[in-house]
Amino acid sequence: MSKIEPVHLLFSILGGVVLLFIIAPLAGIFVNTSTEEFISAARDGEVTGSIWLTLSASMGATLIFAAGSVPLAYILARKDFPLKGLVNSIVDLPIVIPHSAAGIALLGVLSGGSLFGGAAERIGIKFIGTPAGIMAGMAFVSVPFLINSARDGFAAVPEVYEKAAMNLGAGPFRVFLTISLPIAWRSVVSGLVLMWARGMSEFGAVIIIAYHPMITPVLIYERFGAFGLKYARPVSAVFLIVCFISFILLRSIGGGKNYVKS
């Protein structure tokens, strides 16, 4: 039996305290929710409808913004250009600003009275109080997770493979599709999962743009404010279960044993 170093024991204890800080509040939700309350919430049409809207809106936002985010991540990983540091800072900006402020900022751009929002409404796309607005709020706060993860994945691809393919006559787009993306796919998928997961937990930005239709975080807030903790807790328990299952499944697809077993 190997000897346990005192410093490792201390680190383990400190880490255990942090893990307990994360687990205890979540466990408390389930401990204080009776089986009858859980089943009732799981059968509530308003709850299931909000969960479906939350999952689908976050997935939609992730897939739509992936079309631009993955190419941007590749450029950031492979090319040097003026103001690259500024671009990287802009990518991280949604992480550090208050999400209620993000909602106010988006409201100014997406409302019908704005230049962009007005143009979108003229072609039939309305953001305020619609799933499109929910997706915009989710995407704004979560897209940095996709870009950063994909950028790190592309940066780890050995450039010698890409240069060899180009020397053999492959164009940049073909090199991207056949060399860079297949090697970096785990990081890209990991970023997609993180963006989707972060998006469906968003509250501050979404509630300002689209209080209705209600996503689950807004519904939990609404029930807490209107009826109290007893009615908000079962909804939270159901949503947590859905989040856990969805996150583990997607992590398994994207990361395999590196994420699930380790």
Side-chain angles (χ1 to χ4, degrees):
M1 183 176 180
S2 61
K3 180 183 177 182
I4 300 177
E5 295 290 341
V7 65
H8 292 165
L9 180 60
L10 175 62
F11 287 179
S12 298
I13 293 173
L14 293 175
V17 172
V18 174
L19 290 177
L20 184 62
F21 175 75
I22 296 172
I23 294 172
L26 299 177
I29 289 179
F30 295 101
V31 170
N32 293 295
T33 300
S34 67
T35 305
E36 291 77 14
E37 289 174 332
F38 184 87
I39 293 174
S40 176
R43 289 177 174 175
D44 188 331
E46 188 177 24
V47 174
T48 55
S50 73
I51 290 175
W52 169 247
L53 175 62
T54 305
L55 298 178
S56 59
S58 187
M59 183 62 72
T62 300
L63 295 177
I64 290 171
F65 277 81
S69 300
V70 175
L72 174 59
Y74 180 77
I75 292 296
L76 290 174
R78 278 289 177 260
K79 302 298 180 183
D80 290 320
F81 52 86
L83 302 179
K84 181 178 178 180
L86 176 61
V87 174
N88 279 315
S89 298
I90 292 173
V91 168
D92 289 333
L93 198 56
I95 296 176
V96 298
I97 65 173
H99 290 178
S100 54
I104 294 295
L106 283 171
L107 188 63
V109 175
L110 302 179
S111 64
S114 68
L115 181 63
F116 178 80
E121 286 194 2
R122 283 192 287 276
I123 60 173
I125 300 175
K126 188 177 179 181
F127 290 99
I128 308 306
T130 68
I134 294 172
M135 287 193 288
M138 290 177 169
F140 186 86
V141 299
S142 61
V143 73
F145 295 94
L146 169 57
I147 297 174
N148 288 333
S149 179
R151 180 190 58 204
D152 293 343
F154 287 128
V157 175
E159 288 190 70
V160 63
Y161 296 157
E162 297 173 340
K163 291 178 179 177
M166 296 186 78
N167 288 336
L168 293 173
F173 188 62
R174 185 177 178 185
V175 170
F176 173 77
L177 288 180
T178 59
I179 304 294
S180 308
L181 192 57
I183 295 177
W185 77 271
R186 285 190 184 281
S187 296
V188 174
V189 174
S190 179
L192 291 169
V193 173
L194 288 173
M195 181 178 175
W196 172 77
R198 179 62 192 87
M200 69 181 183
S201 67
E202 178 53 23
F203 171 77
V206 171
I207 196 172
I208 291 175
I209 302 171
Y211 193 95
H212 292 281
M214 284 189 191
I215 60 172
T216 311
V218 177
L219 178 63
I220 293 171
Y221 170 77
E222 199 264 347
R223 292 208 172 179
F224 177 72
F227 306 108
L229 184 61
K230 182 177 175 60
Y231 289 88
R233 195 158 43 206
V235 182
S236 302
V238 173
F239 189 50
L240 284 175
I241 291 291
V242 172
C243 290
F244 289 153
I245 294 174
S246 303
F247 190 70
I248 290 172
L249 285 176
L250 289 177
R251 273 296 201 186
S252 300
I253 296 172
K257 64 181 181 181
N258 291 332
Y259 290 109
V260 177
K261 292 182 179 179
S262 60

